[in-house]
Amino acid sequence: MFSKFRAPGLTRRTFLKSTAATAAAAGLPGAALAAGDPIKIGFLAPLTGAVAAWGKPGLDGCEIWAERVNEAGGIDLGGTKHPVEFVAYDNEYDPAKARTGATKLIREDGVSFIMMLGGDTWPGVQPVADKTGMLFSTLLPSDLSPDTTTLIAPAEVHPIYNVTGVDWLAENRPELKTAVMCAQDDALGLPSVATYLAAFEAAGIEMQDEPLLFDPATTDFAPVVTRLLSGNPDIVCLDTCYSDYVHPIAEQLFQQGYEGQIISCTADFYDQMIDKTSKEFMEGFIFQFPDFDDPALNDPRINFDDPNGFYAEYNKRFPGQWGAVSWEYASIMDLWRSAAEKAGSADPDAVLEAMLADGTGKHAFGDAKWWGKDLFGIDHALVGDWPVVVIEDGKATIKGFRNIPAWYDKHGDLLVKHMQAYDQMWDQRG
Amino acid sequence: MLKFLIWPIVAAALVALPHGLSFSQQEILVFLTINILVVSSYRLLTLTGEWSLAHVVIMGVGAYASALFSKELGLWVPVSMVLGAVTAALIAVLLSFPLFRMKGFYFLIGSFAAGEIIRLLWKRFRDPFGGPKGIKGIDPMPDFSIGIYDFDFFEPVSYYYFAGVIVCICLWLLWRIEKSPVGLTFHAVHWQDKLAEASGVNLRAYRTLAFAIASGFAGLGGALLAHYVGTINPNSFDLDLMVFVLTWAIVGGTGTFYGPILGCVTLTILNEVVLRELGFEQMRPLIYGAILILSILFLPNGLESLVQKLTRRRKTA
């Protein structure tokens, strides 16, 4: 009598039963897509709130990507073409809302793959991923651990790529010998601090002081900058500060008369920074995220389709909104599409297997390998070359590509040492 | 007769409710249930006339304490939830010493500062609080069966039933407190503080008592949240959420017991269901803000005033 009230719990089997209808439209195991059925991709990131700058521009980029793919006929799975569409859910960078969003995207919308910013939101989603076997991607490989078997970090390996900027700087400006660093004391700032410390040590650049960690609620950066400049350093490193910090810090550096080298992970909306300071002040500013109209991206090894056209279209639709993540989610979709076409299916298991098949993958900046066991406990981060970008005459310019695994092979012990000192190794987190 | 029938009908409706909702709406229902406890406990504090900005942080104290009790000490989750609530109440008692030297606007600002200090402590001390990333892998409520129903606490429906029972008991307790002589004294402390003091009422003791009781229930709400989501961090209990709690209380009205609950339910459905379903995903903050301004302009006494008007009309009819 009461048997219908028994809740059997969500297992992979019951999940597939409960989503049978949507699964048919999503290419989930046991439910083939009919010809012409759209493949739905989940976009679970902050679209509003303080972290929206690392979600919303990515969704905009994905919409352009989808239009391009659909105009070309769609995604070819086993000989039948399917259009692709994105289903977005604003998680407001909140783990509880991310869990709700993941549930909706998987069990109601029937998506085949979910892209996330990650970070604070991933732990809320992980139980859903474990139960359903859904494939997720993150921009923050610090989410990876041996338990996250259905999570991949295929676009950026934050913060490890920051070593390339320091490496290039040491090679091109050997006269710079001392550095200082500041960062917000949070989950993005700390692993980046450890990485820059390792990179500076490897390059023979001396830290004048301990990294200055400020609270994320900080709004007045004058004292921070005053302290940074007190020892007259050759280099000021801005770590992975959010753009809300990079801009006022750069402004303070300018106002306090700093004329040395600045290096930072990002420089989103750098044109506004130039407006607030001067072209001369920003000359030589090193960071890691190129504009996609850069001619260097037309190199045959680049695995991003028509980057210059993508950038032009993006700027036409969203003027002044280009940022670090505008291309990243779209580049993840390139990788997913190629794996799905190889597998002939949108099934999460099949796609993941095809992605990891030979241990290599086509990263946006060239062929790369699945890597990360030492740092993340699992080889689910796609790592290869990364560009070093310098502002020259008011414009971001790629100065070269550096290989991250090559650096790690030489200096990996330093990175592990500093990561451990900041409790950032996978076995030290949470 | 109708009076006796109404509660079984409400109970049956609440039991049936999740089965008429989509999967994601069931998830929202769980968080709504927990938020009802938080906003109702907040109203108890406002009875004494004090509005705190630390209530959500105190909710976080309960969440952190419960998570640590179960994770580090290996306590059974229901026991750790109760201890989380007790910890939140004790922290509130400690905070009351400096805070209740102030009143009104100064208390509001003081409570905000106290709450931020607690949040900064969570961020600063990676051991035991996990620093900025917080605590992950919090033990879930252990599954069990009562014969006619198997509770699988990954499932929102199971957790809704569990949290619903807890919240209903808490609401009944809050209501009983408000209607008791202690509750009446809370009202007196707010509206007739000089007279109450002249009658021998220790104002500070009663304010502390309201603060501690409200915090205990908020802490329990935090514990319920922590063991469902499985992760908490300092940003989970920031000023943004506090603004939501204030908004629910103000839009719903604090004159009646059901006012804040009405505000919480209405605004959550509006923000998390209606606006999302209508495709206003990215415009929600804007529309939500506009609705708030309009409701404050045209419903200064909150949504509860609409209910009161309707019931008055029915009585006169």
Side-chain angles (χ1 to χ4, degrees):
Chain A
M1 174 177 168
F2 289 105
S3 59
K4 65 174 67 173
F5 291 107
R6 294 173 75 89
L10 182 72
T11 60
R12 206 175 161 78
R13 181 176 295 182
T14 55
F15 152 68
L16 293 174
K17 271 187 191 172
S18 72
T19 56
T22 47
L28 288 166
L33 280 166
D37 276 351
I39 296 171
K40 292 181 179 177
I41 305 294
F43 191 94
L44 182 59
L47 303 176
T48 59
V51 196
W54 289 344
K56 171 75 171 66
L59 179 61
D60 296 337
C62 284
E63 296 297 348
I64 295 171
W65 184 90
E67 280 175 31
R68 286 172 153 206
V69 167
N70 292 341
E71 277 167 20
I75 294 175
D76 186 345
L77 298 183
T80 56
K81 296 271 194 175
H82 301 271
V84 64
E85 66 180 56
F86 287 92
V87 186
Y89 192 95
D90 176 17
N91 67 27
E92 298 171 38
Y93 205 58
D94 175 77
K97 288 187 177 170
R99 178 193 163 112
T100 305
T103 301
K104 179 181 180 291
L105 293 169
I106 297 169
R107 300 178 81 177
E108 292 168 33
D109 298 315
V111 301
S112 302
F113 171 50
I114 297 179
M115 290 190 289
M116 293 181 67
L117 167 63
D120 288 350
T121 54
W122 168 250
V125 169
Q126 190 172 349
V128 181
D130 292 344
K131 286 272 186 179
T132 61
M134 176 53 64
L135 180 60
F136 285 82
S137 72
T138 176
L139 295 190
L140 304 174
S142 52
D143 294 333
L144 295 171
S145 75
D147 304 329
T148 57
T149 51
T150 62
L151 178 70
I152 50 169
E156 68 164 284
V157 185
H158 177 271
I160 317 302
Y161 52 72
N162 287 330
V163 302
T164 61
V166 177
D167 197 44
W168 184 90
L169 175 63
E171 196 176 291
N172 288 274
R173 303 222 28 210
E175 72 281 10
L176 304 179
K177 289 293 176 197
T178 58
V180 289
M181 190 188 328
C182 69
Q184 75 277 2
D185 187 356
D186 74 357
L188 277 165
L190 294 174
S192 193
V193 164
T195 303
Y196 273 113
L197 286 173
F200 284 135
E201 189 174 339
I205 294 166
E206 182 202 343
M207 289 299 294
Q208 276 190 343
D209 201 351
E210 287 293 304
L212 198 167
L213 299 176
F214 57 82
D215 187 82
T218 305
T219 52
D220 178 11
F221 289 95
V224 171
V225 169
T226 302
R227 196 176 137 190
L228 285 177
L229 299 185
S230 60
N232 200 20
D234 296 331
I235 303 162
V236 170
C237 173
L238 305 188
D239 195 74
T240 306
C241 284
Y242 305 132
S243 61
D244 282 356
Y245 308 141
V246 172
H247 285 230
I249 291 171
E251 220 174 327
Q252 276 299 324
L253 286 167
F254 173 69
Q255 286 175 5
Q256 296 190 28
Y258 180 67
E259 291 178 347
Q261 177 67 53
I262 304 172
I263 186 167
S264 170
C265 176
T266 64
D268 288 346
F269 320 117
Y270 64 84
D271 54 326
Q272 295 173 24
M273 286 160 72
I274 291 169
D275 291 343
K276 290 172 190 166
T277 56
S278 71
K279 202 187 263 190
E280 295 71 30
F281 173 79
M282 291 293 289
E283 188 70 14
F285 188 114
I286 298 172
F287 65 114
Q288 307 286 168
F289 287 88
D291 288 346
F292 266 40
D293 60 346
D294 198 303
L297 293 175
N298 296 325
D299 190 290
R301 69 178 165 173
I302 299 297
N303 297 313
F304 193 95
D305 185 37
D306 183 24
N308 295 176
F310 181 85
Y311 182 80
E313 181 61 28
Y314 190 98
N315 276 308
K316 194 171 84 181
R317 292 195 202 184
F318 314 105
Q321 294 301 303
W322 179 268
V325 303
S326 297
W327 58 272
E328 287 192 308
Y329 295 98
S331 83
I332 292 172
M333 283 310 301
D334 277 334
L335 197 78
W336 184 89
R337 176 194 181 181
S338 126
E341 290 186 337
K342 188 169 148 192
S345 162
D347 164 41
D349 287 342
V351 172
L352 181 60
E353 196 182 329
M355 263 187 198
L356 304 176
D358 60 353
T360 64
K362 292 199 171 297
H363 186 275
F365 298 129
D367 292 353
K369 64 177 184 179
W370 290 101
W371 176 91
K373 201 156 187 76
D374 287 358
L375 288 177
F376 312 123
I378 192 166
D379 283 332
H380 274 202
L382 190 62
V383 182
D385 287 354
W386 197 271
V388 178
V389 183
V390 177
I391 294 178
E392 288 181 337
D393 196 27
K395 178 69 183 156
T397 310
I398 294 175
K399 299 304 288 182
F401 291 87
R402 299 265 154 154
N403 190 266
I404 299 166
W407 184 95
Y408 187 82
D409 288 344
K410 272 197 277 183
H411 308 293
D413 55 332
L414 291 178
L415 186 58
V416 170
K417 178 184 85 175
H418 287 288
M419 284 282 190
Q420 281 174 336
Y422 279 86
D423 295 332
Q424 294 302 312
M425 293 295 284
W426 67 265
D427 55 345
Q428 295 175 302
R429 288 188 248 117
Chain B
M1 184 67 188
L2 189 67
K3 251 187 180 177
F4 292 109
L5 277 176
I6 200 155
W7 290 113
I9 291 167
V10 167
L14 289 175
V15 169
L17 177 63
H19 300 285
L21 300 176
S22 68
F23 294 114
S24 60
Q25 286 167 356
Q26 288 170 353
E27 293 276 355
I28 292 164
L29 182 64
V30 171
F31 301 124
L32 174 60
T33 306
I34 294 166
N35 288 339
I36 284 171
L37 176 58
V38 174
V39 78
S40 297
S41 63
Y42 190 64
R43 182 176 171 271
L44 186 82
L45 174 62
T46 65
L47 291 183
T48 62
E50 300 301 351
W51 290 66
S52 162
L53 285 178
H55 199 66
V56 159
V57 175
I58 295 288
M59 174 192 178
V61 169
Y64 268 91
S66 184
L68 290 170
F69 283 133
S70 63
K71 208 176 156 106
E72 302 298 326
L73 303 182
L75 294 183
W76 192 45
V77 170
V79 173
S80 70
M81 283 184 182
V82 174
L83 288 177
V86 171
T87 306
L90 290 174
I91 293 291
V93 171
L94 280 177
L95 287 179
S96 71
F97 288 105
L99 285 182
F100 285 114
R101 297 170 73 92
M102 300 172 259
K103 277 177 69 179
F105 179 72
Y106 298 99
F107 173 81
L108 188 80
I109 299 301
S111 66
F112 170 69
E116 282 304 292
I117 288 166
I118 292 170
R119 283 199 335 114
L120 288 175
L121 289 174
W122 293 337
K123 283 183 181 180
R124 177 60 55 201
F125 293 102
R126 284 187 195 95
D127 189 15
F129 302 121
K133 283 207 100 158
I135 302 173
K136 291 189 287 186
I138 299 166
D139 298 338
M141 179 73 191
D143 299 346
F144 66 89
S145 173
I146 55 168
I148 60 164
Y149 191 84
D150 298 333
F151 283 89
D152 167 5
F153 288 110
F154 171 79
E155 280 295 306
V157 177
S158 288
Y159 206 85
Y160 160 73
Y161 287 147
F162 167 71
V165 169
I166 303 284
V167 169
C168 284
I169 292 168
C170 291
L171 291 180
W172 179 77
L173 287 171
L174 284 164
W175 186 77
R176 293 295 302 161
I177 290 167
E178 190 184 338
K179 297 299 169 195
S180 73
V182 172
L184 295 174
T185 311
F186 289 158
H187 281 288
V189 167
H190 181 192
W191 298 110
Q192 297 289 352
D193 56 342
K194 293 282 184 283
L195 187 60
E197 199 165 26
S199 310
V201 171
N202 184 335
L203 299 186
R204 195 164 155 176
Y206 273 91
R207 284 195 178 114
T208 300
L209 183 64
F211 191 41
I213 294 170
S215 298
F217 285 114
L220 185 59
L224 286 168
L225 180 76
H227 291 283
Y228 183 61
V229 181
T231 178
I232 47 172
N233 65 66
N235 296 333
S236 307
F237 307 101
D238 62 4
L239 193 63
D240 287 0
L241 182 57
M242 189 63 235
V243 168
F244 271 96
V245 173
L246 281 171
T247 306
W248 296 330
I250 291 165
V251 170
T254 53
T256 61
F257 187 80
Y258 60 82
I261 299 172
L262 199 59
C264 180
V265 172
T266 308
L267 291 179
T268 301
I269 291 170
L270 177 79
N271 192 34
E272 293 298 334
V273 181
V274 177
L275 292 179
R276 281 190 196 268
E277 292 294 326
L278 289 174
F280 294 119
E281 192 78 11
Q282 293 161 53
M283 293 197 36
R284 284 180 307 121
L286 180 77
I287 297 167
Y288 191 79
I291 287 167
L292 289 186
I293 292 166
L294 290 172
S295 70
I296 288 165
L297 281 174
F298 297 106
L299 278 175
N301 295 322
L303 293 169
E304 64 187 15
S305 62
L306 280 181
V307 178
Q308 286 162 340
K309 267 184 198 167
L310 285 171
T311 48
R312 235 179 280 138
R313 263 190 216 162
R314 271 187 51 203
K315 275 178 185 171
T316 48

